[in-house]
Amino acid sequence: MLKDKNIVLGITGSIAAYKSAELTSQLVKLGTNVTIIMTNSATHFISPLTLATLSKNKVITDFFETPSNFEVEHISLADKADILLIAPATANIIGKIAAGIADDFLTTFVLACRAPILIAPAMNERMYLNPILQENIKKLKNRGIYFIEPEVGNLACGEKGIGRLADVHKIIVVIGAILEPVTPLKGKKILITAGGTQEPIDPIRYIGNRSSGKMGYALAEVAQEFGAEVTLISAPTQLEPPVGVQTIFVETASQMRDEVLKIFPCVDIVISAAAVADFSPKEIKSQKIKKTTLPPVIELNKTPDILAELGQKKQAQILVGFAAESENLIANAKVKLKEKNLDLIVANDIKTAFGKDTTQVTVITRDGEVEELPLLSKKETARQIIKKVESL
Ligand code: CTP
């Protein structure tokens, strides 16, 4: 897939720069044409000669060198590039790109580049998690720049944490996915619900739950990557909806039901990842309840079971539910699958899933196929679920 592609590889001053030798060598083996741009600091970590030998190309290290031919080099290279990969990317280069700074060849090239840009950060965990860096990453993601997350493991500074450059093979797979996206769900419309609904008691209090919305948002992101047209109906979360996903914000179970029912007839697939409250206060006080008058009992009504209603109404749609359980995981999930007339249910133990970035789920189909997935990031879990949905 990558044969004859023009890949520009930007290397910056991180200890992980030595891994760019392996990356270059693998890319060349796949038949790509690799042109390398090194920042000054990168040349302290690995020699341009090593990379020139491996890439079989001249390595660009100095903006002010006399050009070998008299094209404006950063522009001519930008015209040719199919993708710009920056690996490893330091906090410094990410900050400079986010600020639009162009003070060396690589940063100048970024501004001239119309090809997709993929950034693979590598640094100490404290730097990676620093809100300034995270804001810069968010800003660049919103501008359509792709990121491949660093991995968790032993770091060069002796600490353990997130910050290791992503595995070379993973980087190559992501390049392939960007250049030739596989879009098996193209033409399909998916409705995804996410987050935990909030059922008001008075103007400031509500009954809620600990759902973070991360699973539903990851599903929306992956479904979109698979080519689907995604509508996300979200109860309150702290998350930014994925760029390009139409998102409708709701608060209560009843509002979620109204929005879901409006869209349901037009979609092919529904994934109900929201933690919908099962009860709501019978009466919502219009004024704040004072502690002196707090009633000893708050009476509750049952909320509508949205998914069960869809199960009754469904025509050709595929329905996917979640089962949040604290005991008898599989047995309870199977009952929900049947009672709500679902095609697939994702059983998750609330102890390992709620609020976390990782989860361990079991996927059960209508035909009784049970597949236990390992502990994975929610994004990877979302990928496995969407693949299962695709196979249905
Ligand atoms: N669900 C829904 N509407 C509700 C409650 C749940 O659409 N009022 C959906 C959830 O989005 C999930 C599935 O039904 O996909 C199962 O939700 P879960 O909370 O695990 O179970 P409940 O059906 O609420 O049953 P219980 O709380 O008794 O386990």
Side-chain angles (χ1 to χ4, degrees), residues 272 274 276-278 303-307 321-324 336 340:
S272 180
V276 186
D278 292 318
T303 54
D305 189 321
I306 308 168
L307 192 54
F322 273 73
K336 285 177 189 170
K340 301 193 191 209

Side-chain angles (χ1 to χ4, degrees), residues 193-195 197 253 256 260 271-279 302-310 320-326 332 336 339-340 342 345-346 348 350 354:
T193 65
T197 63
M256 183 170 273
V260 167
I271 305 180
S272 180
V276 186
D278 292 318
F279 308 99
K302 259 193 148 179
T303 54
D305 189 321
I306 308 168
L307 192 54
E309 198 172 336
L310 299 187
V320 180
F322 273 73
E325 307 294 343
S326 58
N332 284 342
K336 285 177 189 170
E339 284 184 355
K340 301 193 191 209
L342 309 178
I345 195 152
V346 182
N348 64 359
I350 52 172
F354 269 54

Side-chain angles (χ1 to χ4, degrees), residues 94-95 98 119 121 128 130-147 238-243:
I94 295 169
I119 296 182
Y128 183 68
N130 188 304
I132 300 174
L133 179 83
Q134 287 300 321
E135 259 172 41
N136 287 335
I137 291 179
K138 197 161 116 192
K139 183 173 171 190
L140 295 176
K141 277 187 178 170
N142 284 339
R143 293 226 168 263
I145 292 182
Y146 299 95
F147 276 80
Q238 302 287 325
L239 308 170
E240 290 271 331
V243 180

